[in-house]
Amino acid sequence: MESTNPATGETVDTYEEHTAEEVDAALERATETFDDWKETSLAHRQQLLSEAASVLRDRTDEYAELMTREMGKPVDQARAEVEKCAWACDYYAETADEHLQDEVVGVDADARAFVSYEPLGPVLAVMPWNFPFWQVFRFAAPNLAAGNVGLLKHASNVPGSALAIEEVFEAAGFPEGAFQTLLTHSDTVESILTDERCRAATLTGSNAAGEAVAATAGGEAKKTVLELGGSDPFVVLDDAPIEETVEQAAYGRTQNNGESCIAAKRFIVHEDVYDEFKPRFVEEMESLTVGDPTDDDTDVGPQAQPDLMEELHEQVEETVDAGGDLLTGGEPSDREGAFYPPTVIEEPPEGTPARDEEVFGPVAALFEVSSDEEAVELANDTKFGLGASVWTDDLTRGQRIAREFESGMAFVNSIVASDPRVPFGGVKRSGYGRELARHGVHEFVNRKTVWVQHGLDASESGIE
């Protein structure tokens, strides 16, 4: 397994892929560890998560530079990603006891009932390369807190990051087998899912990958959580403050080199401010610095792999050939590495990639609408339903429209973001289930109903 720097084409490192025997041994180790880990006090699990946060902060530069070398994100954004992972660990170190305490339910006067949240066992996490640390930690922190153990099958272009994450938990004092990285390709996922020792799975990735995992896990009656991408609308109403909104629009489309599921991708602008928004947005996109991702002044680095850049360019060409108006960008940068410039396409026709597909790179689709109703209709005219945002000076109006979005998350006057304190996930073809917050820690637990009847004499029943 090889890691290649997308900015230079140079090999970062090579790794030995785990054999079938090594994967089997990891499953066995996970099972054995779980038997003890589920009995470990929640307070101790929380303490270890706090230690993991400290490890991350102590090694921020090391891990950030590793991410940048492996997949090309600007290094300042990589540092922020490491800090966000530490924040997630801190969040569950502080709140897991509250989220996982027994939930008392009011029942008959002569009985007591409660819901107990108990771990399931080894959980397989199939994770993507675009946020190589954060995607993993938003799974790992709540699940380790809940008493599960993790098996990570990471994207094959970020093996160094995968091993570094395992290292974080080892350095924090988690027991061997609590979190293991499997350096293996996608063709092993099915055999892991069908193994009785694997109790559940989560995947962030493409629709095809999600459908395959869901089908296999469903055949085994195993719980899954899927996050399958998005084509998030960014709706600008006629009373939005244009200058501030334009800055957020450009950042929302190009953060992480545009390779983000929750990035704003379709910009839907009211006709009363369209002529003001359009040139400013194009100018803002053109002003971004595309270059060396190790330079703190870089806004947009390379696409993660050359083939991904080629696929992105094909989507742009197909859209423009079908009648979309190219306002800026639209050609790979004339330089070494997989660089693609910030690109804006006006009014992509129906049936084109920029309108109907997830465009995973710094390419924005721009639309003009005449009313709130038309804006919402266009925003919802997609198979995806991950995030959405609306921009307005009228917060009541903004909240009303936010409720009308067919999405798992809706933001008013803020770009869509993941935050440990609120649930993350989508609807429609963007998947199902939730990560983070209380909702995320409850996804992979047995929500066991316990009913205690008070009809027996207390001396016989042990009930007080």
Side-chain angles (χ1 to χ4, degrees):
M1 193 172 288
E2 187 171 86
S3 173
T4 302
N5 186 329
T8 65
E10 298 174 349
T11 298
V12 176
D13 210 340
T14 56
Y15 304 84
E16 288 295 324
E17 186 175 351
H18 287 146
T19 64
E21 291 75 19
E22 288 171 322
V23 171
D24 182 74
L27 277 163
E28 188 61 28
R29 191 159 47 246
T31 302
E32 293 172 355
T33 300
F34 173 67
D35 289 339
D36 293 329
W37 182 244
K38 67 182 179 182
E39 302 299 333
T40 302
S41 71
L42 182 51
H44 183 58
R45 295 181 216 150
Q46 290 176 279
Q47 177 58 38
L48 292 183
L49 281 173
S50 182
E51 292 295 331
S54 296
V55 172
L56 285 161
R57 292 190 173 104
D58 288 345
R59 302 180 186 179
T60 294
D61 288 342
E62 174 189 345
Y63 294 146
E65 290 165 7
L66 173 60
M67 280 189 276
T68 295
R69 288 195 305 272
E70 287 201 313
M71 56 70 61
K73 72 169 71 246
V75 71
D76 63 328
Q77 296 180 30
R79 294 190 195 102
E81 182 170 336
V82 178
E83 172 56 34
K84 195 167 188 176
C85 295
W87 179 23
C89 290
D90 282 340
Y91 174 80
Y92 285 104
E94 295 165 2
T95 64
D97 52 350
E98 175 188 348
H99 295 329
L100 293 166
Q101 65 182 336
D102 292 345
E103 180 183 347
V104 177
V105 181
V107 290
D108 300 341
D110 61 348
R112 177 174 180 266
F114 61 90
V115 178
S116 174
Y117 298 103
E118 301 175 4
L120 296 181
V123 181
L124 174 66
V126 182
M127 292 290 128
W129 46 263
N130 58 328
F131 291 93
F133 270 61
W134 174 239
Q135 305 273 19
V136 177
F137 273 89
R138 76 184 193 204
F139 151 75
N143 278 283
L144 289 170
N148 293 314
V149 297
L151 294 160
L152 171 63
K153 188 279 173 229
H154 217 327
S156 58
N157 61 325
V158 289
S161 295
L163 291 172
I165 293 167
E166 183 180 74
E167 173 187 270
V168 169
F169 291 116
E170 289 176 355
F174 283 80
E176 182 183 10
F179 189 92
Q180 300 176 82
T181 283
L182 306 177
L183 291 185
T184 182
H185 289 280
S186 299
D187 56 6
T188 64
V189 169
E190 182 175 1
S191 63
I192 297 171
L193 283 173
T194 56
D195 192 299
E196 64 179 6
R197 293 169 294 184
C198 176
R199 301 298 301 275
T202 181
L203 176 141
T204 298
S206 68
N207 283 96
E211 290 163 7
V213 165
T216 302
E220 302 291 322
K222 293 179 180 178
K223 176 71 181 290
T224 54
V225 169
L226 303 180
E227 195 267 275
L228 306 180
S231 184
D232 287 8
F234 184 107
V235 173
V236 182
L237 301 184
D238 53 3
D239 62 349
I242 297 302
E243 183 175 349
E244 298 89 338
T245 302
V246 163
E247 291 177 1
Q248 290 297 306
Y251 178 72
R253 174 61 282 207
T254 61
Q255 64 169 320
N256 204 56
N257 306 335
E259 297 168 317
S260 171
C261 299
I262 56 172
K265 298 183 175 77
R266 294 176 298 130
F267 296 81
I268 301 167
V269 184
H270 193 281
E271 62 183 8
D272 288 354
V273 292
Y274 187 83
D275 288 342
E276 181 183 2
F277 181 91
K278 173 182 165 180
R280 288 194 179 193
F281 181 49
V282 171
E283 181 181 0
E284 189 73 21
M285 292 284 275
E286 291 176 339
S287 73
L288 299 173
T289 300
V290 180
D292 181 358
T294 65
D295 187 334
D296 283 337
D297 293 329
T298 292
D299 298 308
V300 182
Q303 302 301 280
Q305 292 176 298
D307 62 324
L308 296 172
M309 185 192 70
E310 292 167 6
E311 180 181 338
L312 175 67
H313 185 49
E314 288 173 1
Q315 290 178 304
V316 170
E317 287 187 311
E318 183 179 339
T319 300
V320 173
D321 288 346
D325 188 9
L326 182 65
L327 302 182
T328 190
E331 290 288 343
S333 300
D334 185 17
R335 60 187 298 167
E336 181 183 23
F339 291 90
Y340 204 86
T343 296
V344 181
I345 304 174
E346 186 176 26
E347 298 295 344
E350 290 186 20
T352 59
R355 186 182 181 109
D356 296 345
E357 300 175 9
E358 180 174 33
V359 179
F360 218 59
V363 176
L366 183 60
F367 303 89
E368 181 178 3
V369 295
S370 60
S371 66
D372 291 7
E373 293 74 20
E374 187 181 355
V376 171
E377 182 180 2
L378 181 55
N380 291 338
D381 186 21
T382 173
K383 64 184 178 181
F384 297 106
L386 188 55
S389 65
V390 58
W391 301 77
T392 175
D393 260 346
D394 184 340
L395 297 185
T396 300
R397 183 185 183 191
Q399 290 180 60
R400 173 179 59 79
I401 289 178
R403 289 180 181 275
E404 294 175 1
F405 288 138
E406 295 172 355
S407 61
M409 300 167 287
F411 284 62
V412 180
N413 295 338
S414 175
I415 60 173
V416 179
S418 53
D419 182 311
R421 299 166 296 185
V422 295
F424 181 93
V427 295
K428 301 198 297 191
R429 300 290 288 179
S430 288
Y432 52 75
R434 291 296 180 265
E435 297 176 295
L436 301 175
R438 173 178 60 87
H439 308 74
V441 80
H442 287 172
E443 284 288 4
F444 294 118
V445 293
N446 175 17
R447 307 173 197 185
K448 181 188 290 183
T449 296
V450 179
W451 182 290
V452 183
Q453 188 66 41
H454 290 226
L456 299 179
D457 181 86
S459 62
E460 297 176 0
S461 67
I463 298 172
E464 296 181 359

